[in-house]
Amino acid sequence: MIDTDICSTDVISGRQVVETKGCYSILEYNKLSGYSAANPAESFFRAKQGIKKRQVIAQIENGKSVILQAGAMQMMLGNIVSDANTGGVGGVVKNFFGAKATGESVVKPKYSGDGVLILEPTWNFILLEDLADWGGSMVIDDGLFLSCESTVEMKVVARQNLSSAIAGGEGLFNTMLIGKGTVALESKMPRNELICIELQNDTVKIDGNMAIAWSGSLQFTVERSMKGFIDSAISKEGFVNVYRGTGRILVAVT
């Protein structure tokens, strides 16, 4: 049996678990003395801004498994095995085109067994999301995916029209996460600086690609902010991203 205190919640140890959801825990480091000594100036300003390093810890047991972004694994403790999970030649081709479309990695390894999986530390913020809170599916912005439980399916979804990509400042494709389970997302913004909008058969219009995630049930289009071309020119507002239906949207306002 491996003995480790990696998940210690003792603040004195310099790290603590700040959130747990599903099989995931977020480990936050209060101070990195070794890093501070090597990078004093950068460390000083990060401390002033309250920026801390974080790691995601996945507890794998009872036949469960998780899928990671390629290169995200740092340590495996216990009886854990990895699988490239390519799905054969057809899967490799599918993953390749999906990766080209969304900017994600071609292969996302799957880890199964019984033990603890520790991901690479990051200065970014970690968002743990239960897909049940998103109506069973969510569409995420490029580069947001970090990990998910294997009960979650990943697929590439296309925009409904070409104007969504050209006028809305978005790409032609996005990653959709579908099913039951928890996903870990890597965000540039902390949770308390994001706005969560709940829609009940309603409409939200956003100027720019500020939405980083939205329910898969929502219809996304790009439309003129004003009825006519002249009105749009006078108001200096062009196109807006429009979300219709019932679901939620996560918006980064800065």
Side-chain angles (χ1 to χ4, degrees):
M1 180 177 179
I2 299 175
D3 182 20
T4 177
D5 65 347
I6 187 67
C7 291
S8 171
T9 58
D10 184 4
V11 179
I12 299 176
S13 69
R15 58 178 178 260
Q16 59 182 327
V17 173
V18 295
E19 184 181 1
T20 298
K21 185 174 291 185
C23 69
Y24 298 105
S25 295
I26 301 176
L27 190 67
E28 188 174 85
Y29 290 85
N30 298 303
K31 183 179 180 181
L32 296 172
S33 298
Y35 180 84
S36 300
N39 306 272
E42 184 178 353
S43 179
F44 173 80
F45 287 108
R46 287 189 186 275
K48 285 293 184 181
Q49 292 180 290
I51 300 176
K52 301 178 180 180
K53 209 143 200 179
R54 299 168 183 85
Q55 282 185 287
V56 173
I57 312 296
Q59 185 74 45
I60 303 176
E61 56 187 5
N62 299 325
K64 293 184 177 180
S65 56
V66 299
I67 298 171
L68 301 187
Q69 182 72 298
M73 190 276 293
Q74 186 188 57
M75 286 188 285
M76 294 186 289
L77 310 178
N79 185 26
I80 298 178
V81 295
S82 62
D83 179 7
N85 194 29
T86 60
V89 175
V92 170
V93 174
K94 180 180 178 181
N95 291 342
F96 174 78
F97 284 105
K100 287 296 183 182
T102 64
E104 301 286 358
S105 62
V106 175
V107 177
K108 292 180 173 58
K110 179 179 178 181
Y111 295 83
S112 309
D114 188 4
V116 177
L117 188 65
I118 303 173
L119 278 59
E120 288 281 355
T122 177
W123 290 111
N124 291 326
F125 298 91
I126 306 299
L127 309 177
L128 298 182
E129 301 293 334
D130 187 342
L131 286 186
D133 298 330
W134 292 79
S137 66
M138 70 185 302
V139 181
I140 61 174
D141 207 6
D142 296 348
L144 213 62
F145 177 80
L146 181 61
S147 179
C148 69
E149 295 178 335
S150 62
T151 51
V152 176
E153 178 188 356
M154 301 183 64
K155 63 184 295 186
V156 175
V157 291
R159 298 294 189 187
Q160 294 183 350
N161 50 53
L162 185 60
S163 65
S164 299
I166 299 174
E170 301 279 358
L172 280 172
F173 303 90
N174 275 105
T175 298
M176 177 183 281
L177 305 170
I178 307 172
K180 296 180 179 179
T182 304
V183 301
L185 307 177
E186 197 169 3
S187 170
K188 298 292 184 182
M189 306 291 295
R191 166 81 57 184
N192 61 356
E193 293 182 16
L194 296 172
I195 295 178
C196 185
I197 302 173
E198 298 283 353
L199 288 179
Q200 290 293 331
N201 194 26
D202 211 335
T203 301
V204 167
K205 299 180 180 181
I206 302 175
D207 184 13
N209 55 342
M210 308 303 289
I212 64 171
W214 58 92
S215 296
S217 57
L218 294 177
Q219 178 188 12
F220 173 80
T221 58
V222 175
E223 303 172 7
R224 291 187 183 277
S225 59
M226 297 290 179
K227 290 184 178 180
F229 177 79
I230 295 178
D231 291 334
S232 295
I234 293 175
S235 67
K236 295 183 179 180
E237 296 288 349
F239 294 89
V240 291
N241 292 332
V242 182
Y243 303 84
R244 290 186 173 89
T246 297
R248 63 168 49 176
I249 309 171
L250 207 56
V251 182
V253 296
T254 58

